[in-house]
Amino acid sequence: MKICVFNVTSTIERIGSAEIGGLEAHAFRLADALVRRGHEAVLFGGAPRAEVPLPSTVARVRRFPYLETSRLPDFGTRFRKFAQRYLFARGCRREFLEERFDASLIFKTYDFAAARLWRKSGWRGRLVARLSGAEFYAGDRRFAAAVDAMYAVSGRLASEAGARYGRVCPVIPNFAASSPPVAPVDPPTVLAAGRLVGWKGFDLLLRAFAKTKEARLWIAGDGPERGRLEKLARELGLAARVEFLGALLPSALAARRSGARMAVQPSVGYDSCPNAAIEALGAGLTLVASDAVDLTSRFDEDGVIFRFRAGDAEDLASALSKALCEPRALWEARGARARAAIAERFSEERLVSRVEALLEGKTSFRAGAGLASGGGER
């Protein structure tokens, strides 16, 4: 099959910057995985004003002009995202149609309008939507009629999307690979990765971390909150213990994981199957995550995550202290269970084959199955 992997922000700038996060990194990884399975995958993404390096990829990449959301009228974040993606799709519609794709994979509910545009232009390929957030808006149900199938990266989101659009929405989380056991350095180091935006909760993490002792914190990522967070770290007396690493390429982030003792996902807003959390578990790190982070119930049952109440700095500080004080044998055993779970339930072979089945229209997913397992069998 010839497949378009359509995501305007996937080719704009380095992962971890203001508009770019785990979704964009996953677009490249998924395109490469489809190529390895014998398909021709083409990434359609935005062309930045200044040339920037792309992640290493075996897929073909095509870039087109786009508008940054900050340059659009401020009628709300959802309006800006919808307008950005619709205008981008309209701008590259001719090239999209000339490629004669058998299927297209879109990554946002905002792209439903692009799907409708392609249908009205005569494209008859199969269209699959991957949903990673509850980004619903007025009119999305009407546009969703242009989509043949959809899937969500977590159980809660699959239930919400299935109810809203009146169709079966399988759960297919992001895939990840388990990596060799970590070799953490002293003093114990905590790693937090993601876009530096308010709902990710990095300010909460700094306030909680100030209550711990004899540990370091690495914050990987960039975004509009970085200056404010650096100032807060200084005000809290953490300048010597907190290092802001900036936006890192995947290889550099993996190197940092290998020297960390644990990872933190401090999200205060709903965070659906974040790559940073899955990859930390695959590396065998202890994961401290808020209850706004939606992974799978199996991970909690496996006892590989320290949970805390989203937005509660005291509860996060308590979870960090408890995890940091654990004997080495306990956190090594937890890391081994986490790596085994990732290898069993989040492998590329297991999950990409299910995306491939949706793209080919060969699905046998049943409504109501697989939500707890995270295996995607719904």
Side-chain angles (χ1 to χ4, degrees), residues 134-213:
E135 297 171 301
F136 307 133
Y137 53 92
D140 61 344
R141 291 184 179 92
R142 179 164 58 92
F143 294 139
V147 176
D148 294 299
M150 60 180 64
Y151 69 93
V153 299
S154 69
R156 171 179 157 184
L157 182 58
S159 296
E160 292 179 358
R164 184 171 183 86
Y165 301 120
R167 60 174 75 188
V168 173
C169 186
V171 181
I172 308 179
N174 298 340
F175 60 88
S178 58
S179 53
V182 298
V185 296
D186 289 323
T189 302
V190 178
L191 173 66
R195 285 178 296 146
L196 304 189
V197 292
W199 69 272
K200 283 289 188 177
F202 287 100
D203 56 342
L204 181 87
L205 172 58
L206 289 173
R207 296 182 191 283
F209 194 74
K211 302 177 185 296
T212 68
K213 297 180 180 179

Side-chain angles (χ1 to χ4, degrees), residues 104-151:
S104 182
L105 184 66
I106 58 177
F107 287 77
K108 293 278 188 179
T109 56
Y110 307 115
D111 293 328
F112 291 173
R116 188 168 183 265
L117 177 69
W118 297 333
R119 296 297 192 205
K120 292 182 71 174
S121 300
W123 184 67
R124 295 293 179 263
R126 185 164 173 82
L127 205 146
V128 175
R130 171 197 178 273
L131 306 182
S132 58
E135 297 171 301
F136 307 133
Y137 53 92
D140 61 344
R141 291 184 179 92
R142 179 164 58 92
F143 294 139
V147 176
D148 294 299
M150 60 180 64
Y151 69 93

Side-chain angles (χ1 to χ4, degrees), residues 195-369:
R195 285 178 296 146
L196 304 189
V197 292
W199 69 272
K200 283 289 188 177
F202 287 100
D203 56 342
L204 181 87
L205 172 58
L206 289 173
R207 296 182 191 283
F209 194 74
K211 302 177 185 296
T212 68
K213 297 180 180 179
E214 299 179 358
R216 297 183 305 176
L217 173 62
W218 290 336
I219 296 180
D222 209 341
E225 291 286 295
R226 179 167 177 174
R228 189 177 73 85
L229 291 170
E230 289 177 334
K231 179 182 178 183
L232 178 60
R234 293 192 296 270
E235 291 173 348
L236 293 170
L238 294 173
R241 293 204 291 142
V242 177
E243 183 179 357
F244 288 85
L245 306 176
L248 298 180
L249 293 173
S251 57
L253 183 56
R256 289 287 181 166
R257 276 196 297 269
S258 69
R261 163 81 173 271
M262 71 178 68
V264 182
Q265 199 73 31
S267 309
V268 295
Y270 178 62
D271 203 350
S272 181
C273 196
N275 280 351
I278 295 297
E279 290 167 354
L281 291 170
L285 272 65
T286 294
L287 178 64
V288 177
S290 80
D291 55 17
V293 177
D294 189 1
L295 296 173
T296 73
S297 60
R298 285 276 292 278
F299 278 124
D300 291 289
E301 293 164 6
D302 291 342
V304 299
I305 303 176
F306 284 85
R307 290 287 191 178
F308 68 94
R309 292 184 296 276
D312 189 331
E314 292 290 341
D315 204 30
L316 172 52
S318 176
L320 285 171
S321 296
K322 182 178 179 181
L324 286 167
C325 291
E326 262 198 330
R328 185 184 183 97
L330 286 181
W331 59 259
E332 285 184 341
R334 179 179 293 103
R337 292 198 304 274
R339 292 175 62 249
I342 292 294
E344 176 191 357
R345 305 197 296 262
F346 285 76
S347 69
E348 176 182 317
E349 174 65 26
R350 177 183 176 90
L351 298 178
V352 177
S353 65
R354 297 176 182 184
V355 177
E356 183 181 48
L358 286 174
L359 288 164
E360 294 177 343
K362 300 177 180 178
T363 60
S364 59
F365 297 114
R366 295 175 292 107

Side-chain angles (χ1 to χ4, degrees), residues 44 62 64 90-101:
F44 266 46
R62 297 195 65 179
F64 304 92
R90 195 173 70 178
C92 63
R93 173 174 53 179
R94 179 174 59 84
E95 290 84 355
F96 177 89
L97 296 172
E98 288 175 349
E99 288 276 3
R100 298 183 180 276
F101 290 112

